[in-house]
Amino acid sequence: MSEVLYISVILPLRLEWEPCYAVAKEVKIEVGDRVKVRFGAKEYVGVVSAVDITPEIAPERILPVVSIETDLEKTYQEEIRLWRYIAEYYMCSIGEVYKAAYPAMKVTLEEARAAALKTSRERREKIIRSMEGRVAKIEERLAKKEEQLRKAKEGTKKKFALEEGVGKIRMELETAKAALEAARAGKAAPEGEVSDMNGNANEQGARLTLSQAQEKAYSEIKAGFAKAKPVMLHGVTGSGKTEIYIRLAQEAISKGKNVLYLVPEIALSRQLEDRLEEHFGESLLVFHSGITAAGRRNTAECIRNSRDGYITLGTRSALFLPHHDIGLIIVDEEHDSSYKQDSPAPRYNGRDTALMLSQIQGSDIILGSATPSLEEAYNCECGKHILVELKERYHGSEDSDIEIIDTKAERKKRGMVGSFSRKLIEHIKKTLAEGGQVMILRSRRAWAPALQCEECGELAKCPHCNVSMSLHRSGDMICHYCGHRMRHTGTCQKCNGPLKPLGAGTQKIEEEAAALFPEARVARLDSDTAQNKGYETKTIKAFAKGEIDILVGTQILTKGFDFSRLSLVAVIAADTLLGMQDFRADEKALQLLEQFRGRCGRRGSKGMFVIQTSQPEHPIYQKLINKEEDPQNSTLLLERKAFNFPPYSRIIEITIRDRYEDRAERMARSLADILKRHFGMRPGALALPGSPVTGPYAPAVGKVADQHIRCIRISLRKDRQLKAGKQAVADIVRKFENDGKYADHIVIDVDPA
Ligand code: ADP
Ligand code: ZN
């Protein structure tokens, strides 16, 4: 090579640096270009992160680029900036972030194009169906109003108003019909000419009339945006937050800007899809791991190339799409811990990453929840974010009544029938008799969550994990941690005594409910039933239509659904929600109970919330009953402040995994000692509350899939030293890994969930 230029490249590897390569000077190359290079014995496709750099190693050791991948799309500089932010904040390598953003390019462009055509056809048909539904709904509304008009007295104010109303609906109907006609005509048009449908679908989205409370919240939100601050919308379920998001999104799109709408999980995305499609038609793009790779690629390409405003609905992975010109980001259910990625790196939180993205894009951002996270409450308290409250429910119903049933006391009084108290049975009977629906939450799936030997008292444990096996209706014993499965022989492995099932999981509750209420139609929803694809959506639809009377399930039940006839929600054995040994336990339990409570009584009527527990005196129930309205002054937040827990400090959790328990212990101890020394503690010192370094300790489940686990927690004050503290931890851990060749055993998690 005569004259060369040096570039640095981001590779999909866990590397601390961005390797340098050479290209001929006359070649046109820019930051963001994709290149194929050799690294070690392999070739990788990477992203050019800098051009014309001064290499740090001798020029003769620098390899030339294998090829410039002009067929692959360029990466936007904003994407690379987001990756850098994430790598720094979550203490991982930029290569790991790149790998998450561009998961293996298996799908060829040809495949993607074919899929794009197919998706757009399916999409179009779906839109037509939803438009037909809309026309039917408007016709219904029109008929009602016309009926009222007929009955109204001549010459009254009311009559006049009704006349005006009928006129408006007629116009709305006409527009909707015209849009439907156009869409139908578009159906016959050749593939590829989707663009003219676009406009129609956009216009078709009706502009909403917001309620007074919504209008007020809306203007406060706009005022927050005007100050260039993120807004936290706190509003009970059913208060109409989603409708406000829709209005804000419509505005951004009408200005030609793009919108990113994040939800914590796929189930929520599926529920919102139809609702958003009605408003945004073909401008709606969907992105989550439930979509085929080709479909995802198609969405990515639409976003990259789009010039009109669009809205992308997706889970946290949608943050890595080739975004540009974002005007608004919506983070729905911001408190949900599903926003956090556990594994692999980057272990990022979608909510906080969305905040980073909004900074990079210079966009507005709104976070919403009925139960704001303490992180958000804190951000509002210290003025970084603007808190907007939406207190009333749109349909005007009140919070449901709460009844707490003490199962220990009931058992003594013979007031229990299996897992159900007689009091709860009465509530359910009454609800069913009134034509209402019931949801029952039990946080353990399977038939029995544990098995115990009647002779020696030993629990049946997983051979690979330190947890009890669950008994499933199929007769299999399954480990819920590693999936290990074995046939239930009925005898103890230690003494051959008889094994007795302990407790009741969702499967058994479902059976008990079916036996107690023989007339009722009972169904179950948990991650076992969800394995059957489509079952979840089908069950939810059936429940919404009133084809199921009692729905039993795990935490899945607490998320987002809107059922008009649901009037009783009950928790069985709520104690398992409280059992977690973690400073976040109360916050999480309270959020879960509140979310679940919010499921019922959504349409005008007051609902009922029954909690069965053996610890009725637990403070969490008092907190639930004396609901604190202001998240910024909640007792939970004050407690965190008193103990200097997050959000008042930042926690970094280091996890060590090893096949050999003694080595896990030894390595964890020596790493902890180095960290302690760095932060001015005596090595081996007992950590007190407030110490910067605690551990090593074995977590509640200390062995999973044959790996012994030890944890170390570092708690850093949020002051000027924070950045340096984090950097020191990163350096210490990296050095420890390298010195001991121990890299595959250690995981760093910033802001663990
Ligand atoms: P949230 O997102 O806060 O749970 P939603 O936006 O889902 O609340 O609103 C609850 C119910 O009220 C929904 O059925 C929604 O269609 C209805 N609703 C809310 N706002 C409006 C509005 N401005 N006009 C008509 N219906 C509304
Ligand atoms: Zn196991």
Side-chain angles (χ1 to χ4, degrees), residues 462 464-465 467 479 481-484 705:
C462 171
H464 308 288
C465 309
V467 287
C479 167
Y481 278 74
C482 74
H484 180 75

Side-chain angles (χ1 to χ4, degrees), residues 209 214 238-243 275 394-395 562 602-603:
T209 331
Q214 282 172 319
S239 56
K241 296 188 291 298
T242 314
E243 303 289 338
R275 198 164 160 192
Y394 183 77
H395 290 289
D562 181 3
R602 293 190 60 147
R603 288 286 157 82

Side-chain angles (χ1 to χ4, degrees), residues 364-378:
D364 294 333
I365 179 164
I366 180 163
L367 306 109
S369 173
T371 52
S373 63
L374 292 182
E375 276 72 14
E376 268 311 301
Y378 167 83

Side-chain angles (χ1 to χ4, degrees), residues 266-277:
I266 299 176
L268 283 177
S269 166
R270 295 218 166 99
Q271 285 175 55
L272 264 173
E273 230 170 279
D274 290 342
R275 198 164 160 192
L276 294 182
E277 196 145 44

